[in-house]
Amino acid sequence: MEHHLGDGRVTWRRFAVLTVPAVVVTAGLGVALAQGALAASFAVSGQQFKVSAQSLTGEGFAQYGSVDVNAREELIPVAVTAIREAKLSNLCQSVVTSLPVIGDISLGLTAGKKTPVEASNLFVDATQLSGNATFTNIEIGRDASTLDKGPSDAQGMQDLFGQQADSVVITDLRQTAWATNAGTFKLSGLSMNISKGKKECF
């Protein structure tokens, strides 16, 4: 069975309506902290970054709500996208820092123009995602604690909304995220630069 989400944003607002209210309840967060059910395994910075790709193909897809924690120990609701094996073409990543006197400083990274970027056990803690998506054998509304198609540790809290699929293809991917981590991350044709002004992937 294939499930298509095309021509615009993947249904993140609907996903957020289902997950965020449950995640941000104080008692729920207390349980999450006690169980170690946090998304990123590190304190996230105070800046989100943007990621775009011409296409992403993935085997073993899971998605669920969770929370990140920053260095101030503040809790940040996120939607985690986890993929066992992923390939991305024309990857772009950008972050803009505004400094006193100097102004905006942009850090940009590109890779995968000729040979796709490859990642295993990829986790992206995002607040926004858009693109045209096709899922194969998707399960929507599965308990987040029972997800088993993504990476081995890609599960959320019990009773919360989750979804998973055997595979996913997303074209014209655009996402805003707090954190990304992966078991391996192979970036062919990597190029990184820092420049003055505001220069973002989208």
Side-chain angles (χ1 to χ4, degrees), residues 58-61 134-137 165-169:
E59 297 295 325
F61 166 89
T134 300
F135 301 95
T136 303
N137 293 328
D166 288 343
S167 62
V168 61
V169 177

Side-chain angles (χ1 to χ4, degrees), residues 6-199:
D7 302 325
R9 296 184 184 279
V10 178
T11 54
W12 280 102
R13 289 190 178 184
R14 185 175 300 173
F15 182 76
V17 167
L18 293 170
T19 59
V20 172
V23 173
V24 299
V25 173
T26 303
L29 289 176
V31 172
L33 288 170
Q35 295 177 345
L38 299 177
S41 57
F42 50 84
V44 300
S45 76
Q47 296 176 280
Q48 293 192 74
F49 56 92
K50 292 184 176 181
V51 177
S52 66
Q54 182 178 335
S55 66
L56 177 153
T57 60
E59 297 295 325
F61 166 89
Q63 196 171 65
Y64 52 93
S66 190
V67 289
D68 282 344
V69 181
N70 63 22
R72 300 175 186 272
E73 297 187 352
E74 297 168 330
L75 303 175
I76 304 166
V78 294
V80 178
T81 297
I83 303 174
R84 271 193 293 106
E85 299 290 340
K87 292 184 178 181
L88 302 96
S89 63
N90 284 334
L91 175 70
C92 173
Q93 179 176 305
S94 65
V95 62
V96 178
T97 302
S98 296
L99 299 174
V101 181
I102 298 175
D104 290 337
I105 301 294
S106 298
L107 185 152
L109 179 153
T110 59
K113 290 184 177 180
K114 293 183 178 180
T115 303
V117 170
E118 297 180 10
S120 65
N121 295 327
L122 175 68
F123 289 78
V124 180
D125 303 349
T127 55
Q128 177 274 332
L129 181 149
S130 65
N132 305 304
T134 300
F135 301 95
T136 303
N137 293 328
I138 191 168
E139 299 173 353
I140 301 173
R142 181 162 173 155
D143 188 298
S145 69
T146 70
L147 298 173
D148 59 7
K149 290 188 176 183
S152 60
D153 52 350
Q155 293 91 28
M157 289 177 60
Q158 184 175 329
D159 297 329
L160 291 191
F161 175 91
Q163 56 186 5
Q164 64 178 6
D166 288 343
S167 62
V168 61
V169 177
I170 304 176
T171 58
D172 298 324
L173 170 69
R174 293 184 175 187
Q175 61 185 356
T176 305
W178 285 106
T180 296
N181 60 289
T184 60
F185 207 35
K186 183 178 179 182
L187 295 96
S188 300
L190 172 64
S191 175
M192 187 183 75
N193 65 79
I194 296 176
S195 58
K196 293 190 69 173
K198 193 172 185 178
K199 297 178 183 179

